[in-house]
Amino acid sequence: MEELTVAIKFGGAVLLLWLFVILLRKVGSLYWALHDIFLFWSTAVGSKARVRKLKRPMRIHSYLARTEDLDTVSIEELYTFVKKMVEGPSQEESVVLKSFQALVLSYTHVLVCRERLDGSLRGIMFIGIERKKWDELNYTLIKLGLVMFLPYYRGGPWMYWILLYLSLKELVLHPFTPLYHGGKAYSYKSYMIATQFSEFYPRHDKTTPPFAKGIMDDMAYSVKQPSEYYNEETSVLHREYSHLKEYVAPVTEDELKNPHIKFFVEQNPGWMKGHCLMTLYRVSWKEMFRAVFMALRKSKVQSAGSKPLPQSRVFKRGTSYQAPGFSVCRCTWSEEGEDDVEDGVLAPKKRLVTIKTVEKWVAENDKELDTSLWLKYEKDGRDTVGLLKCAVCVEFEARLVGMRNFRSTFIEGTPNLRTTSFKDHAKSDMHARAMMLFKKKQAGPSNASSCPPIIQLIQNLDAETEARVKRKFDIAFFICKENLSFLKMGSLCELQTRHGVDLGEGYKNNKACTEFAHYIAEDQLSILKKVLADAKFISIQADGSTDSGNSENELFLVVSFEANSNDRKVHVRSRFLAVQEIKRANAEGLFQCFKNAMSHVGISDWETKVIGFGCDGTNANIAAGGLRGHLEESMPWIVVFWCLSHRLELALKDALKNTYFSTVDDMLLKLYFLYEKSPKKCREIEDIVAELKACLEPSEMPRSRGIKPLRACGTRFIAHKLAALERVVNRLGAYLNHLAILSEDPSMKSTDRQKMKGYLQQWHNAKVLYGCALFHDLLKPAAILCVALQNDEVSIIGAIEAFLKTKKAMEKVRDMAFEDLPTVKKVIGAIQQSDDGGVSYQGAQLTNFDGCITSLKKTKDQCVQAIEACLKDRLKVQCPDLLTHALTILAPMGWERKDDASFGYSAIDAISIRFRTPLEHAKVDCSVLQQEWDDMVDYAKRYLNLVQEDYSVLWWKLFNAVDAKKWSNILALVELLFCLPMSNGKVERMFSVLKNIKTEKRTRLSEDNLDDLMRISVDAPEMSAWDASGAVKLWWSAKTRRTVKDTRKTPESAAAEVEIIDGNEEEDALVLDGHKKCAAAVRAKGLDHLEDDYAVNSEDDDVPFMMTAAV
């Protein structure tokens, strides 16, 4: 009976479901009828909303079109409209238009809003409708694309009505399928659309659930371009192909009070660069009713009229509307006077503000905002103002660009001529920091020199206090050198105190550590400034990369020549110069970073000192229209070098691209990833190596300490390949035995076991083993040049010597037979043949032994020829004549072979002509260069061993010879040539240092702190050799303290009225104690007359009575 009841209920449910489906079909038919009526009404009448600030009715005609129906002319009109509001890449117009067309066709519909039926565009929105499945969950996704409306038309109801229409359609036709809206939020305004719904992601108050995260990730990867990067943790798509212009969606301080806007800015800090946040929100029937009311409210607000349109304007039409797409329509306003409409876009009437009005603003707000110091203007006419600027922000732009809320509006000049404009700027964090830097600059590093003797008596640290401060500086230095967090300062100080170290009170927190780190870096910077001041010529090395905080940085090193070192050798030193965040990765942005780096360290005469620039081979650097063009425009003599180390790796990749090396490289990579994250497999392979130790390392094989396979790819191409090849040759027997065990492991899936067997069969082929040995021998000569170029000190002579050695070694490999190659010969010696004709290596059987050698002999000849050709092609220098002249002068070993009386004259003349400006700035007399050259060469031939001694030793002896002053001009020319950069190996290693400093846990590290930590890590000596005295003196002399204003006070009374600034107990005690000591010193030494004189002359309130630095 129960079974019958269940069956009846089930049948009833099926019947009800069937009736419901029939009803839905009827509703669907009615819906499509209403749909046709709606489209007819939208096309014929349009929305009757009026544009704000226009009293005369201007109907906005909005309609939905399929992207597949758009013709070329229609897409060009869309592109022209978008280009006015989006700043795109500096590429050819046809390339950008083609990319835009691909973007349009990636969506299914486009919402078009026109001023009239045949009028110009006022707004567009791309929409895509997709039905997808995520983890057994079917859902419908309405993907929102680019949304662009002119300023006067923003906030209108058109977008809401069309989304309401599409959502209603999907909910009716697919009532049981969840409906989501998703898209890319380029600005906070796009993100705020999602916040109108009850269920939206990502958000500040909830964690994104897995299904929503999966949908957003799938949506991001479907629209991601190859050059873009998607961060799954933050749901941010990093793209810098284009970005919104500054006036489209700026974020003010008041808007940041909104938690949603604040979350968007923190989650997507690169939104100004074009990065977008993926958003998703659920649409239900409840949300539909809310959307209807919102659209009605928008329509009501938008229908309010205001100022009338001048009657003298006539609206002239171009071409008419054409279905199914829409053609370009040029609309112009004509009147007696200025033209306020450009390409159909109605521009707001410009506000005229006189100079007297701005001066009045400055006077009225000076007391509160100090506007007289920073608010400046640019004239637009005789009595009118065109732009407002902040002089302080302009001066310190290089120090402000790294801030989170940096805006260049008041740096470039804003046309918004209103009091609210500069008042909002005055309240911004950026302006506050600029004012702090301005006041610090005005105060100066120390006023001790202008103080009378009585004040200077108390400005020196006593021995006990200095010792305590040095201990704290040592702790801060250790934290910086070991890349620890500043928060470790308190713990380490507590540990030292527990061990009986006297550190005193105060300055034991992360703020103190940050301050100490700054003065440690300033101490190192002072050393660099002294070196650069003494150097006659310098070169700059630069390279760019992205750090853990997704900020693109440009690192700069400065190359200088050192002739007076204690090791009796000349050196070409590379020192850290600066790190700059790149605002735009184009030629202008890189050149601005270059100038900011120069000004950051105070090199005022860099335009006459810089003679070379080393970089990688990107178009933004070495193209004629790139950074190279900007440098040559300001410094025509400069030599731009493409890094030789980079070109060497590119040459080898080109040579080995389509050879058997690709197969070997793929096998090595698979072997590495098989063991990379498997401790169990590594333990098993170690046991096998222990058992097979006797046959794995015979006496004729090189001894290898490691067991785990090495990665065959990385930043140092040649070194990684050689290490991985050598490891496989030495451990192949163990790998094959372990792979055989894994191929029979019953715990693995049958498909995985079959793949493992196929992979094992490939390794048993003797061609793989001999291929590893062959390519190890082919890459060995190139490693000579690679190692030389990776050194910190690379000069022209050192690079050329290494290149000649590489060339000689490659010729030797070319002439050797395949069996005589060193690694191949060792492998052949380790091969064992069994009685049944089988071949084994380290206890593992090999196949195809006879046929592989013949094949690899041909491969060897082809690879050698390809490597030699690519090296010859890739290593061509930009200035071969300059390189030849430089070798003539810098290579002393060639002086003995030349008996020509005019030897070197042509090289000297060519170099002096090219670098005449920097040589004259260095006070070099070019007229006596040839005479001094002859005298120096004669001295070298007579007293030095030019053939056997190293060039660095020979030049040290010449620079430090007794007669060196007689050759000062030619030695300055030699210094110039030594400064030419050849390799950027050290710059590339600096990015490893940067990533160790700015980890994922320190992504908010400011640019100033990052620069300080980089300088300490790179240039500061080791802990055992570091002396804190210089940094402590800088820190001590950088701060001053003022007493309360009064006319005549004795040291005792002044000590009781000292103004407390930092609120530090130890500092206050030191200040009071200093006053007491000062008073005692005055009376003990009979200096009362100094006290009286100073008290009389200190009536000016701005002159401090006691200048005391705080601890």
Side-chain angles (χ1 to χ4, degrees), residues 362-424:
V362 173
E364 290 177 349
N365 296 275
D366 187 42
K367 186 176 181 180
E368 179 184 359
L369 304 176
D370 291 331
T371 49
S372 60
L373 295 177
W374 57 271
L375 186 57
K376 306 298 178 183
Y377 58 85
E378 286 187 2
K379 293 183 179 180
D380 192 27
R382 179 178 298 178
D383 299 322
T384 58
V385 174
L387 299 173
L388 293 179
K389 285 188 174 184
C390 176
V392 178
C393 292
V394 171
E395 182 179 358
F396 298 100
E397 179 184 6
R399 305 288 295 275
L400 303 176
V401 291
M403 297 188 66
R404 179 178 295 273
N405 295 323
F406 173 78
R407 298 287 184 275
S408 60
T409 308
F410 270 81
I411 295 176
E412 298 173 355
T414 176
N416 187 6
L417 307 179
R418 300 180 183 275
T419 56
T420 55
S421 174
F422 67 82
K423 286 181 179 180
D424 290 341

Side-chain angles (χ1 to χ4, degrees), residues 805-986:
K805 290 179 182 178
T806 298
K807 184 179 179 182
K808 186 176 180 181
M810 187 58 67
E811 292 174 352
K812 185 178 179 181
V813 170
R814 181 188 60 193
D815 297 336
M816 292 176 66
F818 175 79
E819 295 82 356
D820 295 333
L821 294 174
T823 309
V824 175
K825 188 175 182 179
K826 292 176 182 179
V827 170
I828 293 175
I831 293 291
Q832 297 179 355
Q833 294 187 355
S834 59
D835 297 337
D836 57 354
V839 176
S840 64
Y841 178 78
Q842 295 181 351
Q845 296 295 322
L846 300 179
T847 61
N848 191 26
F849 180 75
D850 297 329
C852 69
I853 295 181
T854 305
S855 174
L856 288 176
K857 285 181 179 179
K858 297 180 181 179
T859 303
K860 177 242 179 187
D861 296 335
Q862 294 174 357
C863 289
V864 170
Q865 293 177 3
I867 290 174
E868 289 182 338
C870 288
L871 287 176
K872 184 178 180 181
D873 180 61
R874 283 280 188 179
L875 297 185
K876 288 181 180 178
V877 295
Q878 294 91 332
C879 308
D881 295 336
L882 175 64
L883 185 61
T884 303
H885 297 325
L887 289 176
T888 302
I889 296 174
L890 296 181
M893 62 285 297
W895 297 350
E896 288 253 352
R897 307 189 190 102
K898 303 295 182 180
D899 297 328
D900 188 4
S902 61
F903 166 66
Y905 285 2
S906 60
I908 293 173
D909 291 340
I911 294 172
S912 61
I913 291 173
R914 175 169 186 147
F915 298 100
R916 182 166 299 278
T917 300
L919 287 172
E920 289 177 352
H921 179 264
K923 299 180 180 180
V924 175
D925 187 0
C926 296
S927 62
V928 298
L929 288 176
Q930 293 182 0
Q931 179 182 351
E932 292 184 4
W933 164 255
D934 291 336
D935 294 341
M936 185 181 68
V937 171
D938 291 341
Y939 175 88
K941 288 182 178 180
R942 186 178 307 172
Y943 299 108
L944 302 178
N945 189 346
L946 300 180
V947 178
Q948 296 182 356
E949 282 193 305
D950 185 70
Y951 74 93
S952 59
V953 177
L954 287 172
W955 278 114
W956 184 89
K957 292 180 178 180
L958 290 173
F959 271 93
N960 295 275
V962 178
D963 297 337
K965 291 184 179 180
K966 299 179 181 179
W967 319 321
S968 59
N969 296 290
I970 191 63
L971 288 178
L973 185 68
V974 171
E975 180 179 345
L976 183 149
L977 296 176
F978 267 113
C979 288
L980 294 175
M982 299 299 293
S983 173
N984 275 20
K986 186 174 181 179

Side-chain angles (χ1 to χ4, degrees), residues 556 594 684 816 957 1005:
F556 294 92
F594 178 85
E684 292 173 352
M816 292 176 66
K957 292 180 178 180
L1005 201 64

Side-chain angles (χ1 to χ4, degrees), residues 342-541:
E342 298 177 0
D343 297 331
V345 180
L346 180 62
K349 186 177 180 180
K350 187 173 181 181
R351 186 167 186 240
L352 297 179
V353 176
T354 62
I355 296 176
K356 290 184 178 180
T357 302
V358 175
E359 292 176 348
K360 181 181 177 182
W361 292 347
V362 173
E364 290 177 349
N365 296 275
D366 187 42
K367 186 176 181 180
E368 179 184 359
L369 304 176
D370 291 331
T371 49
S372 60
L373 295 177
W374 57 271
L375 186 57
K376 306 298 178 183
Y377 58 85
E378 286 187 2
K379 293 183 179 180
D380 192 27
R382 179 178 298 178
D383 299 322
T384 58
V385 174
L387 299 173
L388 293 179
K389 285 188 174 184
C390 176
V392 178
C393 292
V394 171
E395 182 179 358
F396 298 100
E397 179 184 6
R399 305 288 295 275
L400 303 176
V401 291
M403 297 188 66
R404 179 178 295 273
N405 295 323
F406 173 78
R407 298 287 184 275
S408 60
T409 308
F410 270 81
I411 295 176
E412 298 173 355
T414 176
N416 187 6
L417 307 179
R418 300 180 183 275
T419 56
T420 55
S421 174
F422 67 82
K423 286 181 179 180
D424 290 341
H425 174 72
K427 297 175 184 178
S428 65
D429 295 337
M430 183 185 82
H431 180 75
R433 177 167 174 78
M435 289 298 293
M436 182 191 70
L437 295 172
F438 177 75
K439 292 178 180 179
K440 184 177 179 181
K441 179 181 177 182
Q442 279 190 327
S446 175
N447 295 329
S449 59
S450 62
C451 296
I454 188 172
I455 304 302
Q456 299 180 18
L457 287 175
I458 64 168
Q459 281 195 317
N460 296 322
L461 275 165
D462 59 275
E464 183 180 356
T465 305
E466 184 177 6
R468 291 175 182 170
V469 176
K470 281 186 176 181
R471 295 184 193 114
K472 295 175 185 177
F473 266 81
D474 286 338
I475 295 174
F477 181 80
F478 172 79
I479 290 174
C480 298
K481 202 69 175 175
E482 298 298 325
N483 300 328
L484 301 177
S485 171
F486 291 146
L487 296 173
K488 299 291 184 182
M489 182 72 177
S491 302
L492 291 175
C493 288
E494 183 180 353
L495 180 64
Q496 291 285 72
T497 304
R498 184 181 299 179
H499 291 167
V501 180
D502 182 14
L503 296 177
E505 298 296 331
Y507 291 95
K508 296 180 181 179
N509 54 17
N510 60 321
K511 277 191 169 183
C513 188
T514 306
E515 186 178 357
F516 292 163
H518 172 69
Y519 287 104
I520 294 171
E522 285 292 320
D523 183 34
Q524 297 300 319
L525 182 60
S526 63
I527 298 174
L528 175 64
K529 288 181 178 180
K530 184 178 183 304
V531 171
L532 297 181
D534 296 339
K536 295 183 177 68
F537 313 100
I538 57 173
S539 288
I540 305 299
Q541 296 174 328

